[in-house]
Amino acid sequence: MFNKLIQTPQSAFTVAIVLSLGLHIVLLAVYAPIDIKLLKKKDDLVVIKLEEPKPKPEETIPLQPAQTPTTKAPATQAAPSAPTAEEWAFASKYTLKNSKGYRHSWGKQVRSMMGTAVEGADQGQVRFRIEIAPNGSIVNVETLWKTSDKAEQLARKAIGSMPPLPPTPTGRSLIFEKTISFSPFANDDSPIYSNDCLPDPPAFNNPFAWDGKSQQEIKKNKPAEQLSPAALAECLKQLPQDSMEALAAHDQRQLDQWRSSKLKQGK
């Protein structure tokens, strides 16, 4: 039967069209319900309801009881004792380094009469230029600088009420500068005398300095003056034995001046 239908080209073409149409109708019948359902799902409206965010309740931090500030007692340093009669006897005969012992005893006498130094606004330093006559009387006191008005006031009051001083060691007027420290953190300034026979180094002058007019030349610095053997032997006779307190004070001053915070790293 089928062979008869496709014997001619026209009949074969007609059969092909009928079969194609039949196949498409079957496919539509099978898949059409799924597509319709998908379309219906796509047509559904999605409603999103936006709500304002509710503020979070603030966390209440319980208050801690107020702590009473601890008051630290200020540091103090009592005035040193005045120079003894033995110290003044030594100072009145020691001529080296511009009467070094006399200058130290004078500053110690002044500080001993200024009272206790208390940490605070009144602490500080004052530096004077002093002139003392050969008989020990004070001729002139000039303030070079100060960091505390109270320190200057107390120092000048002490200078004005000092007991009579012994004559100067050289028999001539003694002119020097002295810093008085009125502070609870002041170091002991007791001097050492073991190096006083060494010559003072000469003042440095720039050998290449030139005024631009005169003939240019390189100036040599003067070498330090050396004592003769006899003068050195006479000088050594004046040197006292340095006390342990003076040596410890000297070492502490050197440490305070030259120590570095970097040396403490790694400890």
Side-chain angles (χ1 to χ4, degrees):
M1 182 69 181
F2 182 76
N3 293 331
K4 291 180 179 181
L5 292 175
I6 60 174
Q7 287 180 353
T8 62
Q10 293 180 351
S11 60
F13 180 72
T14 303
V15 171
I17 291 175
V18 172
L19 292 176
S20 177
L21 291 176
L23 179 62
H24 281 81
I25 292 172
V26 171
L27 293 175
L28 288 175
V30 173
Y31 293 102
I34 298 175
D35 294 338
I36 293 173
K37 291 178 181 180
L38 292 175
L39 291 175
K40 287 183 179 180
K41 288 183 179 180
K42 291 180 181 180
D43 292 339
D44 292 342
L45 296 178
V46 179
V47 179
I48 301 175
K49 184 178 182 182
L50 299 178
E51 296 183 356
E52 295 183 359
K54 297 181 180 180
K56 296 182 178 180
E58 296 182 358
E59 297 181 359
T60 57
I61 301 175
L63 297 177
Q64 298 180 354
Q67 299 179 353
T68 56
T70 58
T71 57
K72 181 182 178 181
T76 60
Q77 186 180 90
S81 58
T84 62
E86 293 179 357
E87 290 176 331
W88 272 120
F90 162 77
S92 63
K93 297 178 181 179
Y94 193 80
T95 61
L96 301 178
K97 302 299 182 183
N98 193 27
S99 303
K100 184 176 184 179
Y102 197 102
R103 293 185 288 112
H104 170 68
S105 295
W106 184 89
K108 187 177 180 181
Q109 180 70 51
V110 174
R111 178 63 187 90
S112 68
M113 301 171 65
M114 294 173 61
T116 302
V118 182
E119 180 183 6
D122 291 337
Q123 71 179 38
Q125 296 178 322
V126 56
R127 186 169 182 85
F128 297 113
R129 176 178 286 116
I130 311 297
E131 181 179 357
I132 299 178
N135 62 357
S137 60
I138 298 176
V139 177
N140 184 38
V141 179
E142 178 187 356
T143 301
L144 300 179
W145 54 262
K146 60 182 177 179
T147 61
S148 168
D149 294 334
K150 186 68 173 179
E152 182 190 21
Q153 177 189 352
L154 293 175
R156 284 190 170 274
K157 182 180 178 181
I159 294 171
S161 57
M162 288 179 70
L165 302 179
T168 60
T170 59
R172 298 188 299 269
S173 294
L174 178 60
I175 300 175
F176 61 96
E177 296 180 4
K178 186 67 176 178
T179 300
I180 306 297
S181 296
F182 185 67
S183 168
F185 309 106
N187 293 326
D188 185 5
D189 62 347
S190 299
I192 59 174
Y193 302 93
S194 57
N195 298 323
D196 288 356
C197 287
L198 299 178
D200 293 328
F204 175 79
N205 294 316
N206 187 357
F208 304 100
W210 183 45
D211 58 5
K213 299 178 181 179
S214 60
Q215 184 179 0
Q216 190 173 7
E217 60 179 352
I218 299 177
K219 300 177 181 180
K220 295 183 179 179
N221 290 317
K222 295 181 180 180
E225 297 181 1
Q226 300 293 333
L227 295 176
S228 64
L232 180 60
E234 188 65 26
C235 177
L236 293 175
K237 292 179 182 179
Q238 294 193 57
L239 297 184
Q241 182 68 34
D242 290 326
S243 64
M244 294 298 297
E245 293 77 12
L247 292 173
H250 175 266
D251 293 342
Q252 184 63 44
R253 290 193 298 270
Q254 296 297 315
L255 180 62
D256 293 340
Q257 182 177 1
W258 299 108
R259 67 181 172 185
S260 172
S261 59
K262 294 182 179 180
L263 297 178
K264 297 181 179 180
Q265 295 180 358
K267 290 186 177 180

